[in-house]
Amino acid sequence: MAFPEAATPPELRAQVLALQHQAWPPTGAAASSRTLTHDPALRPRSMLLVEGGRVLAALDILSKEIVHAGWRYRAGGLSTVVTRREARGRGHGRRLVAAARQAMAAEHLDLGLFTCDRPLQGFYEGAGWQLLPGAVLIGGTRWCPFPSDQPGFDKVTMAAFFSAEAQRQQSSFQHSRIELHPGAIDRLW
Ligand SMILES: CC(C)(COP(=O)(O)OP(=O)(O)OC[C@H]1O[C@@H](n2cnc3c(N)ncnc32)[C@H](O)[C@@H]1OP(=O)(O)O)[C@@H](O)C(=O)NCCC(=O)NCCS
């Protein structure tokens, strides 16, 4: 099922929040009382794998325009990918992440870009995403950047090139620093 994050039916949204809190326990009262996870400016859309009213896995697709090497692109990214703890290891995550890739291509994004911890590279590759070798995403804002290669992080950048323009410029994304700047809420999507 897919909904704009803010239009997710409340009974499903409550389960998604519970799964997110299970994986990433909120820090501070403000974070735990927030009902929406993402910055509305990034047009968050939630995709859920639901069985008998129970959310087994969830993720959010965020999107914004970026400029890279002089070209403008509509970029999307995966965020808050999570499978219910008791349901992990059964292919639910892979299925949802592959469906998100198809959905992003269908909605005419030029490319998908996001980072993940290095051990999860194979998980995303199994769902059709490719490693962008040597690429670093610069998250945060222009004034307060949050790069994916900061000390203590061991992240890789995953990508999918959908449009003909993005496919043509694919090599410009490798071994480069990509100014994503999604803002102060989703500092690195
Ligand atoms: C990462 C996560 C979403 C995977 O969901 P899942 O439903 O268990 O994954 P799947 O069953 O579809 O696994 C598909 C493949 O990825 C591999 N994989 C899954 N989780 C992995 C992990 N944490 N590390 C390394 N490989 C993993 C599986 O072994 C499987 O490979 P196989 O087909 O060769 O056996 C889930 O472990 C989770 O919710 N983790 C906590 C939140 C998190 O870290 N999210 C990612 C943020 S970038």
Side-chain angles (χ1 to χ4, degrees):
M1 303 175 94
F3 311 94
E5 185 194 35
T8 307
E11 65 281 11
L12 297 178
R13 179 67 198 153
Q15 292 187 54
V16 172
L17 269 178
L19 294 197
Q20 291 179 354
H21 289 175
Q22 197 181 54
W24 303 282
T27 49
S32 52
S33 64
R34 220 187 282 141
T35 54
L36 293 178
T37 304
H38 301 288
D39 185 344
L42 301 173
R43 298 183 290 275
R45 282 144 302 142
S46 301
M47 289 185 75
L48 319 180
L49 187 62
V50 183
E51 189 180 65
R54 197 154 166 267
V55 177
L56 296 178
L59 58 77
D60 297 300
I61 298 174
L62 306 179
S63 55
K64 75 181 288 282
E65 245 185 44
I66 63 166
V67 174
H68 183 68
W71 293 82
R72 192 172 290 275
Y73 301 95
R74 291 188 62 208
L78 297 186
S79 187
T80 37
V81 179
V82 62
T83 297
R84 185 181 283 276
R85 200 171 279 154
E86 321 78 86
R88 287 184 192 164
R90 297 184 203 160
H92 297 321
R94 178 174 30 217
R95 190 170 155 201
L96 197 58
V97 162
R101 187 182 177 285
Q102 282 180 351
M104 286 160 82
E107 63 197 32
H108 306 298
L109 291 175
D110 292 305
L111 78 167
L113 276 177
F114 60 96
T115 60
C116 67
D117 292 339
R118 192 175 301 276
L120 285 171
Q121 177 186 332
F123 165 69
Y124 288 107
E125 283 175 335
W129 293 87
Q130 68 186 73
L131 176 73
L132 202 48
V136 172
L137 291 191
I138 315 285
T141 65
R142 206 165 291 283
W143 304 274
C144 189
F146 193 77
S148 63
D149 64 346
Q150 61 191 272
F153 277 13
D154 185 19
K155 297 207 179 273
V156 290
T157 301
M158 306 303 296
F161 295 88
F162 304 125
S163 68
E165 302 87 84
Q167 281 167 10
R168 264 195 298 276
Q169 302 298 327
Q170 190 165 333
S171 62
S172 76
F173 287 90
Q174 298 178 358
H175 304 286
S176 74
R177 300 182 76 79
I178 303 164
E179 293 188 6
L180 185 64
H181 294 318
I185 299 175
D186 298 284
R187 289 201 293 171
L188 204 55
W189 70 31

